[in-house]
Amino acid sequence: MNHANLILFYLIMSALKALIFDVDGTLAETERDGHRIAFNRAFTAAGDDCQWSPDEYGALLEITGGKERLTHYFNHLAPAAIATRWAQLSPAAQVELVATLHRQKTTYYTELLATGAIALRPGVLRLLKEARAAGLQLAIATTTTLDNVTALFTHAGLADLIEWFTVIAAGDVVANKKPAPDIFTFAMQHLHCTPAQCVVIEDSLPGLQAAMAAEIKTVLITLSYYTRNQDFTGAALVVDQLGEPTLPVTIVGGDCADFIHHALGCDDASLPNYIDLTVLQQLHQQCWQPQS
Ligand code: XBP
Ligand code: MG
Protein backbone atom coordinates (compact mmCIF):
# COMPACT_ATOMS: atom_id res chain seq x y z
CA MET A 1 0.00 0.00 0.00
CA ASN A 2 1.45 3.42 -0.91
CA HIS A 3 1.67 6.23 1.65
CA ALA A 4 -1.44 8.11 0.47
CA ASN A 5 -3.52 4.93 0.56
CA LEU A 6 -2.12 4.07 3.96
CA ILE A 7 -3.23 7.43 5.35
CA LEU A 8 -6.68 7.00 3.79
CA PHE A 9 -6.92 3.52 5.32
CA TYR A 10 -6.03 4.85 8.77
CA LEU A 11 -8.51 7.72 8.46
CA ILE A 12 -11.33 5.33 7.59
CA MET A 13 -10.44 2.79 10.26
CA SER A 14 -10.13 5.45 12.95
CA ALA A 15 -13.20 7.54 12.16
CA LEU A 16 -14.71 8.54 15.49
CA LYS A 17 -17.95 6.64 16.19
CA ALA A 18 -18.46 6.74 19.95
CA LEU A 19 -17.78 8.67 23.13
CA ILE A 20 -17.41 6.53 26.26
CA PHE A 21 -17.88 8.39 29.54
CA ASP A 22 -16.80 7.46 33.02
CA VAL A 23 -19.30 8.54 35.69
CA ASP A 24 -17.89 9.33 39.13
CA GLY A 25 -15.64 12.36 38.98
CA THR A 26 -16.21 12.76 35.23
CA LEU A 27 -19.92 13.36 34.70
CA ALA A 28 -20.25 14.77 38.20
CA GLU A 29 -18.24 15.35 41.37
CA THR A 30 -19.90 12.52 43.23
CA GLU A 31 -17.26 11.12 45.55
CA ARG A 32 -16.57 13.38 48.54
CA ASP A 33 -20.05 14.79 49.07
CA GLY A 34 -21.99 11.90 47.55
CA HIS A 35 -20.65 8.37 47.82
CA ARG A 36 -18.62 9.11 50.96
CA ILE A 37 -21.64 10.52 52.78
CA ALA A 38 -23.73 7.52 51.71
CA PHE A 39 -21.10 5.04 52.95
CA ASN A 40 -21.00 6.86 56.30
CA ARG A 41 -24.80 6.79 56.61
CA ALA A 42 -24.74 3.05 55.91
CA PHE A 43 -22.13 2.54 58.66
CA THR A 44 -24.28 4.49 61.11
CA ALA A 45 -27.44 2.57 60.20
CA ALA A 46 -25.58 -0.73 60.66
CA GLY A 47 -24.33 0.37 64.09
CA ASP A 48 -20.70 0.39 62.91
CA ASP A 49 -18.65 2.92 64.82
CA CYS A 50 -16.68 4.31 61.88
CA GLN A 51 -16.91 7.28 59.54
CA TRP A 52 -14.71 7.99 56.53
CA SER A 53 -13.17 11.48 56.54
CA PRO A 54 -12.65 13.24 53.18
CA ASP A 55 -8.91 12.45 53.25
CA GLU A 56 -9.37 8.84 54.34
CA TYR A 57 -11.94 8.35 51.59
CA GLY A 58 -9.54 9.87 49.03
CA ALA A 59 -6.95 7.22 49.88
CA LEU A 60 -9.61 4.48 49.74
CA LEU A 61 -10.53 5.44 46.16
CA GLU A 62 -7.44 3.54 45.09
CA ILE A 63 -9.70 0.51 45.51
CA THR A 64 -12.30 0.82 42.76
CA GLY A 65 -15.83 -0.40 43.41
CA GLY A 66 -17.78 0.18 46.59
CA LYS A 67 -17.98 -3.47 47.65
CA GLU A 68 -14.27 -3.99 47.00
CA ARG A 69 -13.52 -0.78 48.94
CA LEU A 70 -15.55 -1.93 51.95
CA THR A 71 -13.87 -5.35 51.92
CA HIS A 72 -10.43 -3.76 51.77
CA TYR A 73 -11.34 -1.46 54.66
CA PHE A 74 -12.58 -4.28 56.90
CA ASN A 75 -9.55 -6.42 56.05
CA HIS A 76 -6.87 -3.79 56.54
CA LEU A 77 -7.99 -0.48 58.02
CA ALA A 78 -11.02 -0.82 60.32
CA PRO A 79 -10.80 0.01 64.05
CA ALA A 80 -9.89 -2.98 66.24
CA ALA A 81 -13.42 -3.81 67.48
CA ILE A 82 -14.87 -3.86 63.96
CA ALA A 83 -11.86 -5.72 62.54
CA THR A 84 -12.20 -8.43 65.21
CA ARG A 85 -15.91 -8.92 64.54
CA TRP A 86 -15.18 -9.05 60.80
CA ALA A 87 -12.41 -11.61 61.20
CA GLN A 88 -14.77 -13.93 63.08
CA LEU A 89 -17.21 -14.10 60.15
CA SER A 90 -17.03 -16.90 57.58
CA PRO A 91 -16.01 -15.82 54.04
CA ALA A 92 -19.64 -16.22 52.91
CA ALA A 93 -20.90 -14.10 55.82
CA GLN A 94 -18.33 -11.42 54.98
CA VAL A 95 -19.56 -11.28 51.38
CA GLU A 96 -23.16 -11.06 52.61
CA LEU A 97 -22.34 -8.29 55.10
CA VAL A 98 -20.59 -6.22 52.43
CA ALA A 99 -23.43 -6.76 49.95
CA THR A 100 -26.02 -5.65 52.52
CA LEU A 101 -24.03 -2.59 53.56
CA HIS A 102 -23.47 -1.67 49.91
CA ARG A 103 -27.17 -2.03 49.04
CA GLN A 104 -28.00 0.28 51.94
CA LYS A 105 -25.30 2.70 50.78
CA THR A 106 -26.77 2.74 47.25
CA THR A 107 -30.18 3.62 48.70
CA TYR A 108 -28.70 6.52 50.67
CA TYR A 109 -26.72 7.67 47.63
CA THR A 110 -29.72 7.71 45.28
CA GLU A 111 -31.77 9.50 47.97
CA LEU A 112 -29.03 12.11 48.16
CA LEU A 113 -29.06 12.57 44.39
CA ALA A 114 -32.84 13.01 44.50
CA THR A 115 -32.34 16.13 46.65
CA GLY A 116 -30.52 17.69 43.67
CA ALA A 117 -27.31 17.92 45.71
CA ILE A 118 -25.04 16.88 42.81
CA ALA A 119 -25.12 18.48 39.36
CA LEU A 120 -23.38 17.43 36.15
CA ARG A 121 -19.96 19.03 35.65
CA PRO A 122 -19.57 22.00 33.27
CA GLY A 123 -19.69 21.08 29.61
CA VAL A 124 -20.99 17.55 30.09
CA LEU A 125 -24.54 18.14 28.90
CA ARG A 126 -23.32 20.42 26.10
CA LEU A 127 -20.95 17.76 24.77
CA LEU A 128 -23.53 14.97 25.10
CA LYS A 129 -26.04 17.02 23.12
CA GLU A 130 -23.48 17.89 20.45
CA ALA A 131 -22.33 14.29 20.03
CA ARG A 132 -25.88 12.99 19.86
CA ALA A 133 -26.85 15.62 17.27
CA ALA A 134 -23.81 14.57 15.20
CA GLY A 135 -24.95 10.93 15.24
CA LEU A 136 -22.18 9.59 17.47
CA GLN A 137 -22.96 6.76 19.83
CA LEU A 138 -22.74 7.43 23.56
CA ALA A 139 -21.71 4.93 26.22
CA ILE A 140 -20.99 4.71 29.92
CA ALA A 141 -18.17 2.65 31.41
CA THR A 142 -18.23 2.90 35.18
CA THR A 143 -17.37 1.02 38.32
CA THR A 144 -20.50 2.16 40.10
CA THR A 145 -23.96 0.58 39.88
CA LEU A 146 -26.63 1.07 37.21
CA ASP A 147 -28.99 2.38 39.93
CA ASN A 148 -26.54 5.18 40.68
CA VAL A 149 -26.09 6.13 37.02
CA THR A 150 -29.85 6.16 36.49
CA ALA A 151 -30.38 8.33 39.57
CA LEU A 152 -27.67 10.78 38.49
CA PHE A 153 -29.27 11.25 35.06
CA THR A 154 -32.83 11.34 36.40
CA HIS A 155 -31.97 14.20 38.70
CA ALA A 156 -29.68 16.02 36.25
CA GLY A 157 -32.54 17.84 34.59
CA LEU A 158 -33.21 15.70 31.52
CA ALA A 159 -35.54 12.81 32.26
CA ASP A 160 -34.72 10.81 29.14
CA LEU A 161 -30.94 11.33 29.24
CA ILE A 162 -30.31 7.68 30.08
CA GLU A 163 -31.91 6.65 26.77
CA TRP A 164 -29.27 8.55 24.82
CA PHE A 165 -26.74 5.85 25.64
CA THR A 166 -26.28 2.77 23.49
CA VAL A 167 -24.83 0.91 26.46
CA ILE A 168 -24.48 1.58 30.17
CA ALA A 169 -21.61 -0.66 31.24
CA ALA A 170 -21.78 -0.51 35.02
CA GLY A 171 -20.51 -2.20 38.16
CA ASP A 172 -20.71 -5.96 38.30
CA VAL A 173 -21.50 -6.60 34.61
CA VAL A 174 -17.82 -7.52 34.31
CA ALA A 175 -15.68 -9.68 36.59
CA ASN A 176 -12.79 -7.25 36.97
CA LYS A 177 -13.19 -3.55 37.71
CA LYS A 178 -10.91 -0.71 36.56
CA PRO A 179 -7.90 -0.65 36.11
CA ALA A 180 -8.72 -3.92 34.30
CA PRO A 181 -9.84 -3.28 30.70
CA ASP A 182 -13.05 -5.35 31.04
CA ILE A 183 -15.61 -2.55 31.38
CA PHE A 184 -14.30 -0.74 28.27
CA THR A 185 -14.09 -3.98 26.30
CA PHE A 186 -17.69 -4.73 27.31
CA ALA A 187 -18.81 -1.24 26.24
CA MET A 188 -17.03 -1.50 22.86
CA GLN A 189 -18.59 -4.89 22.16
CA HIS A 190 -22.05 -3.37 22.66
CA LEU A 191 -21.15 -0.34 20.55
CA HIS A 192 -19.78 -2.60 17.80
CA CYS A 193 -16.71 -0.37 17.78
CA THR A 194 -12.96 -0.90 17.80
CA PRO A 195 -10.62 1.02 20.13
CA ALA A 196 -9.68 3.23 17.16
CA GLN A 197 -13.29 4.39 16.86
CA CYS A 198 -13.72 5.52 20.46
CA VAL A 199 -12.82 8.46 22.65
CA VAL A 200 -12.86 7.92 26.41
CA ILE A 201 -13.50 10.70 28.91
CA GLU A 202 -12.21 9.82 32.37
CA ASP A 203 -11.05 11.48 35.56
CA SER A 204 -8.88 8.92 37.33
CA LEU A 205 -5.71 6.91 36.99
CA PRO A 206 -7.47 3.52 37.25
CA GLY A 207 -9.82 4.77 34.51
CA LEU A 208 -6.91 5.77 32.25
CA GLN A 209 -5.14 2.46 32.91
CA ALA A 210 -8.33 0.53 32.10
CA ALA A 211 -8.90 2.38 28.83
CA MET A 212 -5.26 1.99 27.79
CA ALA A 213 -5.37 -1.73 28.65
CA ALA A 214 -8.40 -1.95 26.34
CA GLU A 215 -6.16 -0.41 23.63
CA ILE A 216 -8.03 2.87 23.48
CA LYS A 217 -5.57 5.64 22.62
CA THR A 218 -7.75 8.73 22.77
CA VAL A 219 -8.27 9.29 26.48
CA LEU A 220 -9.26 12.75 27.66
CA ILE A 221 -8.84 13.33 31.38
CA THR A 222 -10.96 15.95 33.12
CA LEU A 223 -9.35 16.27 36.54
CA SER A 224 -11.61 15.92 39.55
CA TYR A 225 -11.33 16.75 43.24
CA TYR A 226 -9.62 13.52 44.25
CA THR A 227 -7.59 12.96 41.06
CA ARG A 228 -6.06 16.39 40.48
CA ASN A 229 -2.59 15.25 41.62
CA GLN A 230 -2.48 11.86 39.89
CA ASP A 231 0.06 11.04 37.17
CA PHE A 232 -1.74 10.74 33.84
CA THR A 233 1.21 9.71 31.68
CA GLY A 234 -0.19 8.16 28.52
CA ALA A 235 -3.35 10.28 28.35
CA ALA A 236 -3.96 12.14 25.10
CA LEU A 237 -5.03 15.28 26.94
CA VAL A 238 -5.47 16.35 30.55
CA VAL A 239 -7.66 19.36 31.29
CA ASP A 240 -9.29 20.81 34.39
CA GLN A 241 -12.80 20.42 32.91
CA LEU A 242 -14.64 20.30 29.58
CA GLY A 243 -15.40 23.98 29.87
CA GLU A 244 -18.18 26.16 28.55
CA PRO A 245 -18.22 29.29 26.37
CA THR A 246 -18.07 31.32 29.58
CA LEU A 247 -15.73 28.93 31.43
CA PRO A 248 -12.40 28.43 29.62
CA VAL A 249 -10.48 25.19 29.84
CA THR A 250 -7.01 24.97 31.35
CA ILE A 251 -4.76 22.41 29.65
CA VAL A 252 -2.76 20.56 32.27
CA GLY A 253 -0.89 17.99 30.17
CA GLY A 254 -1.15 14.96 27.91
CA ASP A 255 0.65 13.74 24.79
CA CYS A 256 -1.33 16.10 22.52
CA ALA A 257 -1.31 19.11 24.86
CA ASP A 258 0.63 21.40 22.48
CA PHE A 259 -1.43 20.43 19.47
CA ILE A 260 -4.71 21.02 21.31
CA HIS A 261 -3.43 24.25 22.82
CA HIS A 262 -3.43 25.65 19.27
CA ALA A 263 -6.62 23.88 18.19
CA LEU A 264 -8.43 25.35 21.20
CA GLY A 265 -7.22 28.78 20.28
CA CYS A 266 -5.64 29.37 23.68
CA ASP A 267 -3.56 32.09 22.01
CA ASP A 268 -6.37 33.35 19.84
CA ALA A 269 -9.33 35.06 21.50
CA SER A 270 -11.50 34.50 18.40
CA LEU A 271 -11.49 30.69 18.77
CA PRO A 272 -13.56 28.74 21.33
CA ASN A 273 -11.55 27.60 24.33
CA TYR A 274 -13.67 24.74 25.59
CA ILE A 275 -13.78 21.06 24.56
CA ASP A 276 -16.34 20.51 21.85
CA LEU A 277 -16.78 17.74 19.30
CA THR A 278 -14.48 19.40 16.77
CA VAL A 279 -11.66 19.45 19.32
CA LEU A 280 -12.31 15.82 20.24
CA GLN A 281 -12.23 14.83 16.55
CA GLN A 282 -8.88 16.60 16.15
CA LEU A 283 -7.53 14.96 19.29
CA HIS A 284 -8.66 11.57 18.04
CA GLN A 285 -7.08 12.05 14.62
CA GLN A 286 -3.85 13.13 16.25
CA CYS A 287 -3.78 10.00 18.42
CA TRP A 288 -4.38 7.58 15.56
CA GLN A 289 -2.44 9.20 12.72
CA PRO A 290 0.05 6.77 11.17
CA GLN A 291 3.61 7.19 12.38
CA SER A 292 5.98 7.93 9.49
C1 XBP B 1 -15.82 5.18 40.87
C2 XBP B 1 -15.83 4.09 41.85
C3 XBP B 1 -17.08 3.71 42.53
C4 XBP B 1 -17.66 4.82 43.41
C5 XBP B 1 -18.69 4.31 44.35
O1 XBP B 1 -16.46 4.76 39.71
O2 XBP B 1 -14.80 3.48 42.10
O3 XBP B 1 -16.82 2.60 43.35
O4 XBP B 1 -16.62 5.34 44.22
O5 XBP B 1 -19.71 3.63 43.69
P1 XBP B 1 -16.17 5.40 38.25
P2 XBP B 1 -20.18 2.14 44.15
O6 XBP B 1 -15.64 4.25 37.44
O7 XBP B 1 -17.51 5.89 37.75
O8 XBP B 1 -15.19 6.52 38.39
O9 XBP B 1 -20.26 2.15 45.64
O10 XBP B 1 -21.52 1.96 43.50
O11 XBP B 1 -19.14 1.19 43.64
MG1 MG C 1 -14.14 8.27 37.77
Side-chain angles (χ1 to χ4, degrees), residues 83-98:
T84 307
R85 241 187 301 138
W86 167 259
Q88 286 163 351
L89 296 175
S90 68
Q94 289 181 342
V95 170
E96 184 50 41
L97 175 76
V98 164

Side-chain angles (χ1 to χ4, degrees), residues 22 24-26 202-204:
D22 168 55
D24 295 305
T26 300
E202 261 287 352
D203 76 307
S204 76

Side-chain angles (χ1 to χ4, degrees), residues 11 13 23 64 87 92 145 149-150 187 203 224 228 241 251 289 292:
L11 281 177
M13 296 308 285
V23 174
T64 58
T145 59
V149 183
T150 308
D203 76 307
S224 63
R228 61 198 189 278
Q241 41 142 346
I251 297 175
Q289 70 180 354
S292 54

Side-chain angles (χ1 to χ4, degrees), residues 22 24 31 35 57 65-66 69 102 105 142-144 148 178:
D22 168 55
D24 295 305
E31 294 290 9
H35 289 296
Y57 188 67
R69 194 168 300 142
H102 192 252
K105 176 257 164 181
T142 176
T143 305
T144 198
N148 290 350
K178 299 172 190 175

